Amino acid sequence: MRDSVMKQLINSIDEISSNDEMETVINAIKKKQKELKAELTLNALKSFEVGDRVLCNARDGVHEATITKINRTTADIEIGKDKYTAPLSILKPMEVA
């Protein structure tokens, strides 16, 4: 998104004068965030297969992992000998060397 549009949005938010208006804006942002996350998940679901090597963007850093099972919105992965369930939205395909 362009900087000028972001500045306009921020200025518009600064002009909000009631809690009802703020709730409307917050609900619109949450709805859009949900749509974007669903799109990310769908794209990931289409692009991953069991056995794929991926990068997992976890709280403690980025880890190399292998997908062992794919669910509707998550994947079971192995990082070393440890097994985890991760949202598809935090998995990225590894670059082929």
Side-chain angles (χ1 to χ4, degrees):
M1 185 176 282
R2 293 179 307 177
D3 287 340
S4 62
V5 174
M6 287 299 291
K7 287 178 184 176
Q8 283 180 317
L9 285 171
I10 291 169
N11 288 337
S12 294
I13 289 170
D14 285 341
E15 293 176 10
I16 292 174
S17 60
S18 74
N19 203 33
D20 288 340
E21 290 175 349
M22 183 62 77
E23 285 295 324
T24 301
V25 171
I26 290 170
N27 289 335
I29 290 171
K30 285 180 180 180
K31 180 182 175 197
K32 184 62 177 179
Q33 184 179 34
K34 195 174 197 179
E35 290 172 3
L36 291 172
K37 189 170 182 180
E39 185 178 327
L40 270 177
T41 300
L42 183 61
N43 289 339
L45 194 58
K46 291 179 182 178
S47 64
F48 293 136
E49 295 180 4
V50 171
D52 282 355
R53 299 281 297 153
V54 294
L55 295 175
C56 178
N57 189 9
R59 289 184 186 118
D60 61 342
V62 178
H63 303 278
E64 292 184 12
T66 303
I67 296 176
T68 58
K69 181 181 177 187
I70 298 176
N71 306 304
R72 186 171 53 96
T73 60
T74 63
D76 293 345
I77 60 172
E78 286 183 358
I79 299 174
K81 293 184 180 183
D82 298 325
K83 296 181 181 186
Y84 302 94
T85 299
L88 291 170
S89 59
I90 69 166
L91 302 177
K92 304 286 181 246
M94 287 187 63
E95 298 297 322
V96 178

